[in-house]
Amino acid sequence: MTEQQASGDGVTGARHGRRPTMSDVAEKAGVSRALVSLIFRNAPGASEQTRQRVFDVAKEIGYRPDTAARTLASSRTRTLGVMLTIRNPFHADLVESCYAEADRVGYDIVLSTTVPTRDEERAVDALVGHRCEALILFGPKMSAAYLTQLSREHPVVAISRKVPDATLDSVHTAEAKGVRQAVDYLVSQGHRDVIHIDGGAGPGSAERRKAYRAAMRKHGLAERIRVIPGNHTEDSGMRAAEVLLSEDALPTAVLAANDRCALGLLGALHKAGVKVPQEVSVVGYDDSRVAMLSHIGLTTVHQNADELGRLAVRTAVERIESPNAPARELVLDPELRVRDTTGPPR
Amino acid sequence: MTEQQASGDGVTGARHGRRPTMSDVAEKAGVSRALVSLIFRNAPGASEQTRQRVFDVAKEIGYRPDTAARTLASSRTRTLGVMLTIRNPFHADLVESCYAEADRVGYDIVLSTTVPTRDEERAVDALVGHRCEALILFGPKMSAAYLTQLSREHPVVAISRKVPDATLDSVHTAEAKGVRQAVDYLVSQGHRDVIHIDGGAGPGSAERRKAYRAAMRKHGLAERIRVIPGNHTEDSGMRAAEVLLSEDALPTAVLAANDRCALGLLGALHKAGVKVPQEVSVVGYDDSRVAMLSHIGLTTVHQNADELGRLAVRTAVERIESPNAPARELVLDPELRVRDTTGPPR
DNA sequence: CTTCATCACTAGAGCGCGCTAGTAGAGCGC
DNA sequence: GCGCTCTACTAGCGCGCTCTAGTGATGAAG
């Protein structure tokens, strides 16, 4: 690493003084603080002329409303808290649709991500601390007990997680249906050795695992059922590949926990010289936009991110407006998207 | 979509009552509010016994400190604002390292992303509204004027963006060096028709474009210089592919604006049946973890995300502590990572 | 005994804003 | 003139917390 002193004004001068407040604007514009407040809230009751002058003054002295003070003073924050895993490309898709819908209904969004050094509880704490009026959790892995407790204290919408006897709203895809489609398709192609890398405690994993077992049994392949433990990261796909490659024979098809897992698996297989789909077919889950774009052409179970995000925001807002309404579960239909990582068995 | 009423308690009961405050905790624990405050700030001056009792009571009634009130009351927020583009996998890498370093130095991080419906200005406004003590901008595309103005009002660290005559701190990779390595390598493999899809107004694009031209000239390939306009999204790679495929002959190598652009390009080439690297070699830029993992095995210019994030946070904190220190520019060396999307020309 | 330090705790101001309850003044009808 | 309405504005409380300047109790030192 090299370090240089920027060639600009060298010493950057006495900057970053006291942050201007509403009173500063009011004083400079020759009006009361209350009027400035009113104007910045877009409330009626100020003349157009004064309004303009206040905005001009504000811009001139670099005034921006203080979110903290606003939040504190008003009972409403009109803010939704979103917990996500930033590494997950599917979550990026969801975030975009959430923003779009939140804009439409006049809410702000605050993001809080989990990273390896920051668990879900910390991410949630940050959102609650910001006084979000509702929490939208993308594929939460937290315990059902914690989730239930949380939903007692705040409006909570879970995406891609079904909670039995739920006291919270959830929006998800019919996991079983997606898995069934995938297995049916693989079997119709002639596959019999279809294995599943599961998502561990990840959202929807239990349902997918169950559905995989059921679908295999339906096709009379109960004896070929095999589940390799995994999770929702690329790493689990790579590890599963190691396991498979260490054995005598590869299965002819693998149903991965999600797209990330599938990508990890593909990477490891590719490194080992295994041809996809000639030697092994691979199916993902999510259809995150990246999977579609890359030249991988991943066959995967499509979840409608736009719709999931939109519904989550709408449900959250409705929950805020009527906290005592019955908990709802919105279920979207998935759809298998056949691309290039699947084909007939070798 | 189907909708079901969750099978739980049906009506969710009278929930989400008034949020408990410090006073509630104080009253229930039989101490003053000030003491509770002190305990939650981890300040000395309370007995171990009382401390424990207060924590117990807080947990029992579900108290969590209100960030807004905290922020308002204290001059410091110990919060760094990070502006990013959530779609960009490289930004995910950066976010992770920022969190890790922020934890180490005792700062919080607030994220604000740009999405198609939310531009950089709005993302920055949100951060400033949250009273972040410094802003860390991942590859900002805003005008130099706006950036300079912003840096006069707040400590600002830009990642991957060099600002001439800077009054702000920046942390980036030696763009030119990376591009030169890539061109040198391609030429050493025998390529002569090396074209460049540029990043438009994206961070570092100007430098990379310039370096590409210089490197080509150095190899006596001035006449082969060709820059296709693009940006930092997958879409631009796909569009560039369209352009190239509509022509008589493909170039033998393409230097993409970044990994996302390279991925889009690879996808489109693959769909058109063009073999990589046999017919065309492709080089990315960033080395986001996804590029490495996928079975793409993208040849790309590695930027050290861990180090970039770490340095950005450190620089931000140092800037907060000494606002008048000279602006700094930290430059890391990039490194070409040769994988599977490059080879000798056809 | 007094003095002083220390510990454990409290009172209360104020952070920047939203919002309710007001007021001053203009315009109007009678 | 009077009362009325309407527009354009203002006063000031309080949101939940931090933080300074305290208080009272205890114990050790002199």
Side-chain angles (χ1 to χ4, degrees):
Chain A
M1 185 189 82
T2 64
E3 174 172 348
Q4 341 181 333
Q5 194 165 304
S7 56
D9 45 14
V11 171
T12 51
R15 307 179 308 169
H16 319 147
R18 204 183 109 274
R19 176 189 172 115
T21 72
M22 218 167 234
S23 301
D24 298 329
V25 178
E27 194 175 335
K28 184 137 192 191
V31 295
S32 71
R33 197 184 49 70
L35 189 61
V36 178
S37 162
L38 182 154
I39 289 171
F40 266 89
R41 273 177 288 140
N42 264 321
S47 68
E48 199 42 57
Q49 193 187 339
T50 310
R51 213 172 269 274
Q52 198 49 57
R53 185 158 39 91
V54 164
F55 279 134
D56 288 348
V57 169
K59 182 143 201 182
E60 187 189 334
I61 66 178
Y63 167 77
R64 304 190 207 219
D66 183 327
T67 311
R70 272 199 158 156
T71 297
L72 189 57
S74 67
S75 47
R76 302 287 310 270
T77 59
R78 296 199 76 82
T79 296
L80 304 175
V82 168
M83 184 196 84
L84 74 160
T85 301
I86 200 157
R87 274 261 172 256
N88 193 329
F90 187 62
H91 288 190
D93 300 348
L94 289 172
V95 164
E96 291 200 352
S97 63
C98 284
Y99 266 108
E101 182 66 13
D103 254 4
R104 235 167 276 141
V105 294
Y107 274 76
D108 271 348
I109 280 185
V110 172
L111 301 178
S112 187
T113 183
T114 62
V115 294
T117 57
R118 190 171 190 259
D119 61 22
E120 294 194 338
E121 196 161 342
R122 273 189 69 188
V124 164
D125 278 349
L127 294 176
V128 173
H130 279 301
R131 267 256 207 58
C132 296
E133 294 187 34
L135 307 179
I136 298 176
L137 311 177
F138 291 1
K141 282 187 280 208
M142 53 191 70
S143 72
Y146 181 79
L147 196 49
T148 303
Q149 172 63 24
L150 196 62
S151 74
R152 256 197 278 278
E153 293 162 4
H154 311 274
V156 173
V157 179
I159 294 189
S160 296
R161 162 121 178 212
K162 210 168 142 180
V163 182
D165 295 329
T167 56
L168 53 90
D169 299 304
S170 69
V171 179
H172 62 94
T173 301
E175 310 287 356
K177 206 179 281 186
V179 171
R180 209 180 311 136
Q181 282 178 34
V183 174
D184 286 355
Y185 165 75
L186 289 169
V187 171
S188 78
Q189 292 280 303
H191 290 274
R192 296 172 56 79
D193 275 322
V194 179
I195 72 158
H196 178 45
I197 306 173
D198 85 348
S205 300
E207 288 85 358
R208 293 181 202 168
R209 194 163 44 228
K210 212 172 124 193
Y212 158 75
R213 288 214 165 90
M216 290 293 278
R217 269 195 300 271
K218 191 185 76 182
H219 289 291
L221 298 171
E223 284 172 17
R224 310 294 181 102
I225 288 174
R226 177 171 177 198
V227 177
I228 296 183
N231 58 45
H232 281 180
T233 69
E234 291 85 1
D235 197 47
S236 74
M238 299 173 72
R239 277 201 310 265
E242 273 176 37
V243 171
L244 295 173
L245 290 164
S246 72
E247 299 174 353
D248 294 340
L250 288 171
T252 67
V254 181
L255 201 59
N258 68 349
D259 286 352
R260 296 181 64 191
C261 175
L263 252 56
L265 176 71
L266 287 170
L269 290 177
H270 182 253
K271 247 176 224 142
V274 176
K275 289 236 167 61
V276 173
Q278 292 83 350
E279 296 177 62
V280 182
S281 285
V282 174
V283 180
Y285 205 111
D286 280 351
D287 198 21
S288 47
R289 225 155 289 181
V290 167
M292 177 182 70
L293 275 166
S294 100
H295 84 280
I296 305 164
L298 181 66
T299 294
T300 186
V301 176
H302 174 77
Q303 300 200 69
N304 190 334
D306 285 350
E307 192 67 6
L308 282 173
R310 204 176 65 75
L311 288 174
V313 168
R314 266 189 31 191
T315 306
V317 171
E318 285 165 17
R319 165 71 48 216
I320 291 167
E321 285 164 1
S322 41
N324 295 325
R328 292 191 304 170
E329 182 182 351
L330 303 179
V331 186
L332 296 180
D333 272 343
E335 192 186 326
L336 184 69
R337 295 275 162 96
V338 177
R339 300 205 182 92
D340 313 325
T341 56
T342 48
R346 57 180 174 270
Chain B
M1 184 189 83
T2 63
E3 174 172 349
Q4 342 181 331
Q5 196 165 300
S7 57
D9 44 18
V11 171
T12 51
R15 308 179 306 170
H16 319 147
R18 207 183 104 274
R19 178 189 169 114
T21 73
M22 218 167 233
S23 300
D24 298 330
V25 178
E27 194 177 334
K28 184 137 192 190
V31 296
S32 71
R33 199 179 43 71
L35 189 60
V36 178
S37 164
L38 181 153
I39 288 171
F40 266 89
R41 275 177 286 141
N42 265 324
S47 68
E48 198 42 55
Q49 191 186 340
T50 310
R51 212 171 270 273
Q52 197 49 56
R53 186 156 41 91
V54 165
F55 279 134
D56 288 348
V57 168
K59 183 143 200 183
E60 187 188 334
I61 66 177
Y63 167 77
R64 304 190 208 220
D66 183 327
T67 312
R70 271 200 159 156
T71 298
L72 189 57
S74 66
S75 48
R76 302 289 311 269
T77 59
R78 295 198 77 80
T79 296
L80 304 175
V82 168
M83 186 197 82
L84 74 158
T85 300
I86 200 157
R87 273 260 172 258
N88 193 327
F90 187 63
H91 288 191
D93 300 348
L94 289 172
V95 164
E96 291 199 351
S97 63
C98 285
Y99 267 108
E101 182 67 14
D103 256 2
R104 233 168 277 140
V105 294
Y107 275 76
D108 271 347
I109 280 185
V110 173
L111 301 179
S112 188
T113 184
T114 63
V115 294
T117 57
R118 189 171 190 259
D119 61 20
E120 293 193 338
E121 196 161 341
R122 273 188 71 189
V124 164
D125 278 349
L127 295 176
V128 173
H130 279 302
R131 270 255 206 56
C132 297
E133 294 187 33
L135 306 179
I136 299 176
L137 310 177
F138 291 1
K141 282 186 282 207
M142 54 191 70
S143 71
Y146 181 80
L147 197 50
T148 304
Q149 172 63 23
L150 196 63
S151 74
R152 255 196 281 276
E153 293 163 4
H154 311 273
V156 174
V157 179
I159 295 190
S160 297
R161 161 120 179 212
K162 211 167 140 181
V163 183
D165 295 330
T167 57
L168 53 90
D169 299 306
S170 68
V171 179
H172 62 96
T173 301
E175 310 287 355
K177 206 179 281 184
V179 171
R180 207 178 313 136
Q181 282 178 35
V183 174
D184 286 356
Y185 165 74
L186 289 169
V187 171
S188 77
Q189 293 280 303
H191 290 274
R192 294 171 59 77
D193 274 321
V194 179
I195 73 158
H196 177 45
I197 306 173
D198 85 347
S205 300
E207 288 86 358
R208 292 181 203 168
R209 195 163 43 228
K210 210 172 124 194
Y212 158 75
R213 289 213 165 91
M216 289 295 277
R217 271 194 299 271
K218 192 187 75 183
H219 288 291
L221 298 171
E223 286 170 18
R224 311 293 182 104
I225 288 174
R226 176 170 177 201
V227 177
I228 296 183
N231 57 45
H232 280 181
T233 68
E234 289 85 0
D235 197 46
S236 74
M238 298 173 73
R239 277 201 310 264
E242 273 176 36
V243 171
L244 295 173
L245 291 165
S246 72
E247 298 174 355
D248 295 340
L250 288 170
T252 68
V254 180
L255 202 57
N258 69 349
D259 287 352
R260 293 181 68 190
C261 175
L263 252 56
L265 178 70
L266 286 171
L269 290 177
H270 182 254
K271 248 175 223 145
V274 175
K275 289 236 168 60
V276 173
Q278 290 83 350
E279 298 177 61
V280 181
S281 285
V282 174
V283 180
Y285 205 110
D286 280 351
D287 199 21
S288 46
R289 226 155 290 180
V290 167
M292 174 182 72
L293 276 167
S294 99
H295 82 280
I296 306 165
L298 182 67
T299 295
T300 187
V301 177
H302 174 78
Q303 299 200 72
N304 189 335
D306 284 352
E307 192 68 4
L308 282 172
R310 204 175 66 75
L311 288 174
V313 168
R314 267 189 31 191
T315 306
V317 171
E318 283 165 17
R319 166 69 49 214
I320 291 167
E321 285 165 0
S322 41
N324 296 325
R328 293 191 303 171
E329 183 183 350
L330 303 179
V331 184
L332 297 181
D333 273 342
E335 191 188 326
L336 184 69
R337 294 277 161 94
V338 177
R339 300 206 180 90
D340 312 325
T341 57
T342 48
R346 58 181 175 269

